[in-house]
Amino acid sequence: METSIQIRHLAPSDFEVISPVVDEWWGGRQVGQSLPRLFFEHFAPTSFALVHGSEVRAFLVGFRSQSNPGVAYIHFVGVAPAYRRGGYGRILYTHFFECATSLGCTEVQCITSPINVGSIAFHKRMGFRIISVGGEQNGVPVCLDYAGKGKHRVRFSRLLAPGNDGT
Ligand SMILES: CC(C)(COP(=O)(O)OP(=O)(O)OC[C@H]1O[C@@H](n2cnc3c(N)ncnc32)[C@H](O)[C@@H]1OP(=O)(O)O)[C@@H](O)C(=O)NCCC(=O)NCCS
C-alpha cells in the first residue's frame, strides 16, 4: 500500500464530504438516498475511509448481520473516479474481510445492480460468486424485484476462507 494512504473508520463528519459526490461517483445514478447519515453515525466500527491526508479517495460501508452473526455485509463501496483501477477497492475489501473475520464472520455478502458491469467484474475478481436465483438480466443471474418492483439485483457471496483472494 502507498505509504501516503491510510485507512481509518468512517466518521459522522464524512457524510458531508461523501454524500454530495456519490451520485457522480456512480456515473450519475441516484444512489445517494441509499446512503443516509445513519450509516456514518452507527456503523463506524465496520465502515472505512481510504484517505490521503484529508482527502477521502474511497470508502466502504459495511456491517455484521444482526440476523446472522456469521455473515458480514458490504452495503456501499466507492472509489473516486480519478483513482479507479489502482487497487483501492481491493485494499478496502481486504481490510473489511480482516475486520469481519476478527468479529467471527465466515461469509461476506453484498448486492449490485445488473447494469453495473464494473462492479460485477470487481466482485468476481475479489473472489465473490453470484448467488442470485430466479431470473436473468443482461446475461447475469438476478434476484427479481429484490430492491422493489422491477429493481432486480445481483447477489454475491464470498467465504472468508484463508487464501480465498479471488486471484
Ligand atoms: C467497483 C469499484 C469500487 C472498484 O474499485 P477499484 O479501486 O477501481 O478496484 P481495484 O483497482 O481495487 O480492482 C480490484 C480488481 O477488480 C478488477 N476491476 C476493478 N474494476 C473493474 C472493472 N470496471 N472492470 C473489470 N475489472 C475490474 C481489477 O482489475 C482488479 O483485479 P486484480 O487485482 O485481480 O488485477 C469502483 O470502480 C467504483 O467505485 N465504482 C463506482 C461505484 C460502484 O459501482 N460501487 C460498487 C457497487 S456498491
Side-chain angles (χ1 to χ4, degrees), residues 17-150:
V17 176
I18 293 172
S19 183
V21 300
V22 285
D23 290 354
E24 179 197 332
W25 285 19
W26 262 252
R29 290 176 55 211
Q30 302 296 302
V31 298
Q33 72 269 23
S34 300
L35 193 64
R37 187 185 290 271
L38 70 90
F39 283 106
F40 297 78
E41 293 188 341
H42 298 293
F43 293 79
T46 50
S47 300
F48 303 97
L50 186 152
V51 298
H52 179 268
S54 61
E55 179 192 15
V56 177
R57 292 186 173 179
F59 71 97
L60 181 156
V61 172
F63 51 87
R64 183 185 196 182
S65 170
Q66 299 295 296
S67 308
N68 184 351
V71 173
Y73 187 86
I74 296 174
H75 177 55
F76 257 64
V77 61
V79 176
Y83 301 109
R84 293 200 183 143
R85 306 301 288 268
Y88 287 176
R90 181 178 282 282
I91 289 168
L92 278 172
Y93 264 49
T94 302
H95 194 79
F96 183 79
F97 295 160
E98 290 169 1
C99 171
T101 300
S102 75
L103 293 173
C105 300
T106 56
E107 180 183 356
V108 178
Q109 295 182 3
C110 52
I111 63 170
T112 201
S113 167
I115 63 168
N116 196 339
V117 292
S119 174
I120 294 168
F122 169 74
H123 283 94
K124 286 180 175 174
R125 291 301 299 160
M126 292 307 303
F128 286 81
R129 65 187 176 90
I130 294 175
I131 57 169
S132 320
V133 288
E136 196 177 287
Q137 184 176 331
N138 302 339
V140 184
V142 293
C143 292
L144 297 173
D145 301 327
Y146 191 82
K149 186 84 178 148

